[in-house]
Amino acid sequence: MQSSPARRRILTLWLCLAVSCGDDAESTTLDASVTQDAASVVPALDASVLDATQLDANVVDASAPGAARGPHTLAVRAAASTDDNEAGLIGSKRLAIWLADWQASRPAAITGDLIVLQLNALPGGDPYAQGEGAVRVHAAAELVDLVGPRSNGLAALGSVPQHGLRVDLLLRKYGIHPSRDLVVLAAGQLTTQALDTLARAWLALRYWGVPHASLALLGEPLALPRRGPSGTTPPVDGTERVSDLQAEHFALYADLGAVREAVGQDTLIDVRDAAQYAGDELGTSARDNSCTRGVPRCTPLFAGHIAGAVSLPWTSLVDAHGLRPRDELDLALRNAGVDPTRSAIVYDGDDQGAAIVSFALLAVVGVPARWYGGSYLEWGSLNAAHPDPALRVLDPASPYRTDVPALTAKLQRWAAPEQGVRPLVLNPNVRALDRVLREDRDYKREPTALPPPGQGDNPCIL
């Protein structure tokens, strides 16, 4: 049995995933062999669903309200120098110009404020850049919460852009109006973990429809002469919501169903290290601890890589200063055999690195990409043949098992019983895998009312 705090954490997460701020009424019993705190119910999916493969089309008039956009329409090639960019990946010189005189230097597409969401403090001394008037700098540690596990109907592992209500609360708290403001995601200390968090936040905001021109990521540590002891007090006066944004960008996220459909069709990019790609190592998760009590790091239940995927370790795209220059990224993609004209799905071990690579493809080199945040942690758990029967989470006849040669290459190692991940939510009889997409489309059409400021106690969204 889990220790009390860990058990409460898992039960709270399960409630968030099961309730998910409004689920189907139909339910089924959890499979006790694959959960440690189970004995409850999870909702099952309705059969009337949209084929997720429709998302990958080079679609539609993006100016139409609610228009869906495929990854080809969302990829933007940046300038060779980050200081020449006004959105996507920007440099510190560009941000310094904006902070010095926003009214004279703001991009032509922006009519509102400059809002810097700073993930962490500067090392030593004054922690935050200063802002005044139309320039606001906020301490925004909750950027890390814009992604997290959500049930796709079958399981909940890895990271997914969070429910629209969480994004709406962020927009309200910081007074962000994406139709006219420019939001810069920044870090005082740009570690690889911080870069990963910023990339995940960028993807989540783009997913919900924030325009490219309204969103930037500072690809360098925040090193500016103007510093203050704290960020600007959040105004909590934002009135714009994701439902007000003209287009949806749900194609940026590839769920399990989309990845299965992509095998043999689209480019799949494995950004784990070479040993994991080759099936020689399982790889451990820094973000999932649903394996046996006392084991600090979980692994997938089997090694290998998704069939047809190319290897491009994410560590080869970064250096001590952040992302490598655009032309070096181009070379790395060519060396890995990535066709820049084809849509790519990017995955990693437990969503450590895939967001960075997806951001680099979409916002720097201009390659259409989709982010599989479920990652190999999810893919490598859906088996029916583990040597330990307790870790066989699907029936041999299940259409969702991935431990077959047509879907997984180099499947030559299995996790030890105490180490393998246990999916927190599993409904092996689910009829489709697009639960997140359906929830988010429903929310985009009919958003729920926001709770009064300071009264939101839902652990799913706060």
Side-chain angles (χ1 to χ4, degrees):
M1 184 64 68
Q2 299 281 344
S3 63
S4 181
R7 189 168 190 269
R8 284 197 298 270
R9 183 192 68 80
I10 289 178
L11 287 174
T12 298
L13 178 57
W14 174 81
L15 285 171
C16 292
L17 294 167
V19 176
S20 195
C21 308
D23 282 330
D24 303 310
E26 184 183 358
S27 63
T28 187
T29 303
L30 277 171
D31 186 337
S33 69
V34 294
T35 59
Q36 294 176 301
D37 294 284
S40 202
V41 294
V42 291
L45 270 177
D46 191 291
S48 58
V49 294
L50 180 70
D51 182 357
T53 59
Q54 294 179 15
L55 283 177
D56 199 27
N58 235 346
V59 280
V60 298
D61 178 5
S63 65
R69 300 185 66 184
H72 286 82
T73 69
L74 298 172
V76 177
R77 186 164 176 82
S81 170
T82 57
D83 291 321
D84 292 332
N85 295 325
E86 294 187 328
L89 185 65
I90 65 169
S92 58
K93 290 181 180 179
R94 171 61 60 186
L95 182 57
I97 291 171
W98 286 340
L99 290 175
D101 192 346
W102 172 243
Q103 299 299 340
S105 62
R106 66 185 176 191
I110 302 299
T111 60
D113 295 350
L114 172 65
I115 302 166
V116 180
L117 300 183
Q118 189 171 330
L119 176 67
N120 57 33
L122 292 152
D126 298 329
Y128 293 96
Q130 287 182 331
E132 56 187 33
V135 176
R136 295 184 276 119
V137 180
H138 299 296
E142 68 265 48
L143 289 176
V144 72
D145 297 322
L146 289 180
V147 300
R150 289 176 66 185
S151 175
N152 58 25
L154 176 67
L157 290 167
S159 298
V160 181
Q162 283 288 22
H163 194 277
L165 185 54
R166 186 191 291 271
V167 179
D168 278 342
L169 290 172
L170 183 90
L171 297 179
R172 181 179 71 177
K173 177 178 180 179
Y174 295 114
I176 298 169
H177 297 85
S179 63
R180 61 177 187 264
D181 296 335
L182 174 60
V183 177
V184 176
L185 308 176
Q189 301 176 67
L190 194 66
T191 62
T192 53
Q193 182 177 356
L195 179 61
D196 187 64
T197 297
L198 296 181
R200 285 148 54 98
W202 186 91
L203 286 164
L205 292 170
R206 289 285 284 139
Y207 170 89
W208 277 106
V210 174
H212 176 82
S214 299
L215 189 61
L217 188 156
L218 180 64
E220 303 170 12
L222 191 63
L224 300 165
R226 303 177 66 201
R227 300 181 180 181
S230 65
T232 310
T233 301
V236 197
D237 64 355
T239 58
E240 196 164 328
R241 304 184 63 177
V242 295
S243 56
D244 298 319
L245 299 174
Q246 287 296 302
E248 66 177 46
H249 302 156
F250 295 156
L252 292 180
Y253 182 75
D255 59 20
L256 177 64
V259 178
R260 291 175 61 93
E261 291 287 340
V263 174
Q265 304 294 325
D266 292 333
T267 301
L268 289 155
I269 301 177
D270 186 320
V271 303
R272 301 173 300 162
D273 64 41
Q276 293 177 55
Y277 175 82
D280 297 329
E281 294 182 4
L282 288 160
T284 58
S285 169
R287 294 193 168 108
D288 189 281
N289 63 351
S290 62
C291 46
T292 303
R293 179 173 175 262
V295 177
R297 295 291 179 89
C298 302
T299 71
L301 293 178
F302 57 85
H305 63 261
I306 301 176
V310 300
S311 177
L312 179 65
W314 71 271
T315 52
S316 67
L317 303 186
V318 298
D319 57 24
H321 305 289
L323 276 171
R324 293 185 181 278
R326 187 200 67 188
D327 294 346
E328 292 184 21
L329 299 180
D330 285 337
L331 179 60
L333 292 176
R334 286 198 298 271
N335 290 341
V338 175
D339 182 349
T341 66
R342 298 182 61 194
S343 178
I345 292 180
V346 183
Y347 74 93
D348 52 21
D350 73 336
D351 193 38
Q352 177 66 37
I356 293 175
V357 176
S358 297
F359 170 78
L361 294 178
L362 286 161
V364 183
V365 298
V367 172
R370 304 179 70 186
W371 169 48
Y372 176 34
S375 72
Y376 201 82
L377 196 67
E378 175 180 68
W379 187 271
S381 72
L382 302 175
N383 83 96
H386 196 285
D388 185 338
L391 296 181
R392 298 172 188 168
V393 299
L394 295 172
D395 292 331
S398 170
Y400 301 124
R401 59 183 295 193
T402 55
D403 60 330
V404 294
L407 295 175
T408 301
K410 301 294 183 179
L411 199 168
Q412 54 202 29
R413 291 192 62 189
W414 296 92
E418 71 277 5
Q419 192 80 8
V421 65
R422 272 74 166 173
L424 292 177
V425 176
L426 181 67
N427 176 9
N429 300 314
V430 70
R431 293 187 290 274
L433 299 174
D434 68 343
R435 177 178 181 164
V436 168
L437 172 63
R438 292 199 305 125
E439 287 179 352
D440 293 348
R441 280 192 165 151
D442 287 346
Y443 185 85
K444 189 88 167 177
R445 286 191 296 264
E446 298 183 23
T448 56
L450 297 182
Q455 297 185 25
D457 296 321
N458 187 341
C460 300
I461 59 173
L462 299 178

